[in-house]
Amino acid sequence: MRGALVANALTESISDAVQQGRDGRIQALINRAVQDECLVAIGLCADDGRLLQHTVGYPPTLDCKAARQIAVAPASACQAALRPPYSRAATTAPRR
């Protein structure tokens, strides 16, 4: 649920930044969001499956395909939210 809330909150701001090519703005937004004590990392994926940006804690072995699979898996240990526009995936992992 936390992942979905974060993705919902960031969707419009990230969409605007993507359209304007403001990568620094995107990075600042996701870095700020991951300061939430319940989140470990956030990744932003392109439609073609490339990981566009991520926060420091994002697992290097978690590619966008795997993140999408986690997002649809029931009772996952990791929360993930796929948010439009551009089918970007915002993936968040809860702190333990």
Side-chain angles (χ1 to χ4, degrees):
M1 179 150 160
R2 175 78 64 174
L5 291 172
V6 170
N8 282 334
L10 294 177
T11 296
E12 187 174 328
S13 296
I14 288 178
S15 173
D16 291 345
V18 167
Q19 289 177 348
Q20 297 168 8
R22 298 179 61 201
D23 293 342
R25 172 80 173 134
I26 296 167
Q27 194 65 50
L29 286 166
I30 64 175
N31 285 343
R32 191 173 318 122
V34 84
Q35 290 176 359
D36 180 309
E37 64 189 36
C38 295
L39 300 177
V40 174
I42 296 175
L44 180 67
C45 298
D47 290 336
D48 64 6
R50 289 177 297 121
L51 182 61
L52 299 175
Q53 291 191 257
H54 59 85
T55 57
V56 173
Y58 194 85
T61 58
L62 182 61
D63 62 19
C64 291
K65 180 180 179 183
R68 289 176 192 272
Q69 291 172 341
I70 291 168
V72 298
S76 174
C78 179
Q79 297 176 357
L82 298 176
R83 304 307 304 152
Y86 312 110
S87 301
R88 303 288 192 234
T91 304
T92 60
R95 290 195 189 274
R96 299 236 178 247

